[in-house]
Amino acid sequence: KNQVEQSPQSLIILEGKNCTLQCNYTVSPFSNLRWYKQDTGRGPVSLTIMTFSENTKSNGRYTATLDADTKQSSLHITASQLSDSASYICVVTLSGGSYIPTFGRGTSLIVHP
Amino acid sequence: NAGVTQTPKFQVLKTGQSMTLQCAQDMNHEYMSWYRQDPGMGLRLIHYSVGAGITDQGEVPNGYNVSRSTTEDFPLRLLSAAPSQTSVYFCASSYSGQFTDTQYFGPGTRLTVL
């Protein structure tokens, strides 16, 4: 069964610190991997999209990496801010015309002042 | 642009009642979809549409109906609500549904079935 596993489940850091969130997947054949940010009580917002041929993508202080060989991705947040407190969700989509993505359960990040 | 809008924001139903969750987008997107989000689980796709008049089932379609008569609207109907359908429902849209398209999510509808 296609799966997306995220770690850690939750993370607490101090404002200004960096952090890295992990995503491992078994989805195959792989098409693309996305990272979303979901604030409490709101819908997810897209941060990055990477195809199998890309190994890094940045969006401001957010940098996503992808290793398609090991089926691993990471999201690195630099110089964290209080507004980074949210759930970060990894999503993987099959290739071959499927419109059904597989969502991870998310990592809950809390940034303390 | 309002983006993706959903109504209502909150709803409480009794078992067996029916209702329709509304979703609209003003970005002229062809692809629209409905997800449910349950505690401790990832979002799961219920139904999706690649254009007006075309719909298809996602991962968890049972108990839900959809139709797409216009590009803008994609309502989700619960025919006979069950407690297992208590969840937060999100509608999303993208330009064409291609794998590299950005998906835009609505603010969600929190549904409780008693």
Side-chain angles (χ1 to χ4, degrees):
Chain A
K1 182 181 178 188
N2 293 320
Q3 287 189 316
V4 176
E5 300 290 341
Q6 293 188 242
S7 62
Q9 187 173 354
S10 61
L11 182 62
I12 301 174
I13 62 174
L14 291 175
E15 186 179 12
K17 298 296 186 183
N18 302 336
C19 68
T20 300
L21 313 181
Q22 300 291 343
C23 174
N24 296 342
Y25 62 92
T26 61
V27 174
S28 182
F30 166 85
S31 170
N32 69 80
L33 185 145
R34 304 162 184 253
W35 283 93
Y36 286 89
K37 178 187 179 189
Q38 184 176 22
D39 292 317
T40 301
R42 309 191 71 156
V45 174
S46 180
L47 292 176
T48 62
I49 302 172
M50 289 183 291
T51 65
F52 67 90
S53 61
E54 298 174 294
N55 54 27
T56 188
K57 185 71 71 77
S58 291
N59 179 359
R61 294 180 296 102
Y62 301 101
T63 300
T65 63
L66 172 64
D67 186 334
D69 291 332
T70 62
K71 294 186 170 59
Q72 295 180 328
S73 176
S74 64
L75 180 69
H76 186 75
I77 304 174
T78 304
S80 61
Q81 301 176 356
L82 298 180
S83 59
D84 291 331
S85 296
S87 179
Y88 292 85
I89 303 171
C90 176
V91 186
V92 182
T93 305
L94 287 168
S95 64
S98 168
Y99 288 95
I100 303 178
T102 302
F103 284 74
R105 298 179 181 182
T107 291
S108 176
L109 174 66
I110 298 174
V111 180
H112 279 166
Chain B
N1 285 353
V4 180
T5 58
Q6 293 184 236
T7 56
K9 290 186 69 66
F10 301 94
Q11 183 71 50
V12 178
L13 292 178
K14 295 181 179 178
T15 297
Q17 287 185 316
S18 63
M19 78 160 295
T20 299
L21 307 185
Q22 302 291 344
C23 173
Q25 52 88 12
D26 60 359
M27 298 175 281
N28 202 31
H29 285 173
E30 290 295 327
Y31 179 82
M32 297 185 73
S33 54
W34 277 101
Y35 294 89
R36 61 178 289 172
Q37 186 173 38
D38 301 299
M41 300 185 69
L43 277 81
R44 292 180 292 170
L45 182 65
I46 304 171
H47 285 285
Y48 65 93
S49 168
V50 298
I54 306 170
T55 64
D56 207 345
Q57 296 181 350
E59 185 182 355
V60 288
N62 292 343
Y64 307 95
N65 273 1
V66 292
S67 60
R68 184 98 178 267
S69 56
T70 67
T71 299
E72 295 77 20
D73 301 297
F74 191 44
L76 178 72
R77 281 182 288 277
L78 281 70
L79 306 175
S80 177
S84 60
Q85 294 178 305
T86 294
S87 187
V88 181
Y89 291 84
F90 289 100
C91 179
S93 74
S94 63
Y95 180 66
S96 68
Q98 290 299 312
F99 299 131
T100 53
D101 280 352
T102 297
Q103 265 200 317
Y104 297 88
F105 284 81
T109 294
R110 186 174 295 273
L111 176 67
T112 301
V113 182
L114 302 176

